Amino acid sequence: MSAIEQFQEYFKLKGVGVKFYPGEIDTGKMQFLKEVKFCQAVKLARDQQVFLDKDSIICKGARYALGYNKGTKEEIVNAIKFKRGVSKEIAEQLVDNIPTIKDPGFDYIGLNVDDPDIYIFYMTPKRFMEFLKVYQRTGNNLEVKLSSITAMCGDVAAQTLTTKKICLSFGCDDSREYGEVADEELIVGIPKETIEQLADKIR
């Protein structure tokens, strides 16, 4: 049994493995998604293998977090200012704090694929606490950075990939709507290496 199979069986979870491909990929049975939000793609990938390219993602926040389009910063600032009713200064602070992939270096993103870079899970707080207790058996503790925007794409996907650390989010409006994150769930990103390290702790 692989580390991820062992992990998912132990915690009674099913995650979505996300891989960032620097070049051409063998699409195999993967379905190509067009005009989706990243969180929407994660939801769809829970039941099938899918892949995206840089033109697939229509959400400006996700494109910004994933490093595909830094030129949208001002548009995102203005959208937050209008939607949240906050000052431009506060909106700029929120955008400046979005975890981002500085130099993407990848052409495709595969979801629910073998040998991923990171895993994304939906967890209840109770399940996350069970996971945290196991994680702390490794001698590590958990520090988190939270935001109310770009939950799935920034706080979880981009941040987990770039820091190689466990990251979580309470979910932004879009991830709850398009990613179908339930009110009682958190979004958790875990590097593949961490899953493999934990395998010894749950045997």
Side-chain angles (χ1 to χ4, degrees):
M1 185 182 294
S2 68
I4 183 59
E5 289 172 335
Q6 192 173 344
F7 181 94
Q8 292 181 140
E9 182 177 292
Y10 183 87
F11 289 108
K12 297 179 175 58
L13 293 166
K14 179 167 173 41
V16 172
V18 184
K19 188 171 184 66
F20 299 84
Y21 295 92
E24 292 299 316
I25 62 173
D26 179 7
T27 58
K29 296 181 180 179
M30 300 194 322
Q31 179 182 349
F32 179 52
L33 298 181
K34 297 180 180 180
E35 298 186 347
V36 294
K37 293 177 180 285
F38 181 78
C39 49
Q40 184 181 11
V42 172
K43 179 205 71 171
L44 294 170
R46 297 175 81 175
D47 300 313
Q48 60 186 317
Q49 291 187 331
V50 304
F51 74 101
L52 315 167
D53 65 13
K54 66 179 182 179
D55 297 319
S56 298
I57 301 169
I58 59 173
C59 174
K60 289 187 171 73
R63 292 180 63 81
Y64 183 82
L66 297 171
Y68 281 142
N69 194 344
K70 294 302 180 186
T72 60
K73 178 179 177 179
E74 193 64 25
E75 291 181 61
I76 300 170
V77 167
N78 289 333
I80 292 171
K81 179 184 172 184
F82 175 76
K83 193 172 183 180
R84 300 282 180 91
V86 298
S87 68
K88 185 174 182 179
E89 182 181 7
I90 290 175
E92 286 175 340
Q93 289 175 359
L94 288 171
V95 175
D96 286 341
N97 285 324
I98 293 175
T100 59
I101 298 172
K102 305 300 182 188
D103 181 15
F106 52 84
D107 299 314
Y108 300 97
I109 303 173
L111 298 101
N112 194 11
V113 296
D114 297 328
D115 192 31
D117 300 303
I118 66 170
Y119 289 94
I120 295 177
F121 294 91
Y122 293 10
M123 294 189 194
T124 63
K126 180 180 179 181
R127 187 71 72 212
F128 182 77
M129 183 55 69
E130 292 169 354
F131 159 72
L132 181 59
K133 287 188 286 188
V134 173
Y135 176 66
Q136 288 179 326
R137 291 180 199 167
T138 65
N140 294 304
N141 210 340
L142 183 64
E143 296 181 4
V144 297
K145 176 184 175 183
L146 298 171
S147 175
S148 60
I149 58 175
T150 65
M152 191 91 72
C153 51
D155 275 7
V156 174
Q159 189 173 193
T160 304
L161 181 72
T162 56
T163 65
K164 300 195 181 303
K165 294 181 180 179
I166 296 164
C167 300
L168 66 89
S169 173
F170 288 104
C172 60
D173 295 340
D174 276 1
S175 63
R176 296 221 171 258
E177 179 178 356
Y178 299 100
E180 294 187 1
V181 182
D183 289 350
E184 65 275 12
E185 290 178 321
L186 311 174
I187 312 165
V188 182
I190 308 177
K192 179 187 71 173
E193 295 81 3
T194 302
I195 297 283
E196 292 169 346
Q197 291 167 6
L198 289 175
D200 290 336
K201 305 298 180 184
I202 56 179
R203 284 177 180 162

